């Protein structure tokens, strides 16, 4: 009988020789399963709602991300995506600007909170 034990950040797995030498009993999930929300839809399109994108398709740079990612996804260039450099530059600039705008807003909020007196 096997079991797993956690020690600090590590997991220790104890098993028997019999279990290691017998065929696996794990069932593979078919990619055709409807419960799986992958990056590619069954039609072969990009699933912009995929959790794997971590919300990149939304927000202030969502459209520039979609343009860059779509370019890479559909790219036939060799090496793949080498024809998408300009789109990724635009996305990079957007994220830098968005980050700077966010930092400025945070700094303004912080300075407003630290003001004292009339």
């Amino acid at each position: 009988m096997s079991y797993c034990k956690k020690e600090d950040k590590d997991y220790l797995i104890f098993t028997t020789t019999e279990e290691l030498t017998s065929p696996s009993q794990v069932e593979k999930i078919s990619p055709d399963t409807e419960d799986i929300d992958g990056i590619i839809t069954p039609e072969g399109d990009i699933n912009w709602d995929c959790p794997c994108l971590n919300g990149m398709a939304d927000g202030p740079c969502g459209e520039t991300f979609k343009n860059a990612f779509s370019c890479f996804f559909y790219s036939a260039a060799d090496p793949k995506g080498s024809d998408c450099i300009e789109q990724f530059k635009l996305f990079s600039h957007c994220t830098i600007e968005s980050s700077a705008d966010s930092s400025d807003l945070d700094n303004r909020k912080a300075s407003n909170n630290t003001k004292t007196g009339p």
Side-chain angles (χ1 to χ4, degrees):
M1 179 175 151
S2 62
Y3 65 96
C4 182
K5 178 177 155 185
K6 183 173 178 159
E7 287 189 6
D8 298 319
K9 63 176 180 50
D10 302 314
Y11 289 90
L12 302 175
I13 301 171
F14 298 90
T15 189
T16 65
T17 304
E18 182 180 289
E19 288 175 319
L20 290 174
T21 56
S22 64
S24 174
Q25 301 300 314
V26 176
E27 289 185 36
K28 183 178 176 184
I29 298 175
S30 169
D32 298 334
T33 304
E34 292 182 23
D35 295 346
I36 299 174
D37 291 324
I39 187 70
I40 311 301
T41 66
E43 295 79 28
D45 298 320
I46 300 170
N47 176 9
W48 296 114
D49 296 322
C50 178
C52 61
L53 293 176
N54 200 26
M56 295 291 291
D58 302 318
C61 299
E63 287 306 312
T64 55
F65 172 76
K66 286 180 181 180
N67 290 336
F69 192 84
S70 294
C71 180
F72 179 81
F73 182 77
Y74 295 110
S75 174
D78 185 26
K80 185 172 181 78
S82 60
D83 54 339
C84 305
I85 293 170
E86 192 57 38
Q87 289 89 332
F88 278 99
K89 282 183 182 177
L90 291 171
F91 174 61
S92 177
H93 290 298
C94 181
T95 57
I96 291 168
E97 288 174 14
S98 177
S99 175
D101 291 345
S102 176
S103 295
D104 289 343
L105 180 61
D106 290 343
N107 290 339
R108 282 182 272 159
K109 285 180 181 177
S111 70
N112 286 339
N113 290 339
T114 58
K115 290 182 181 178
T116 58

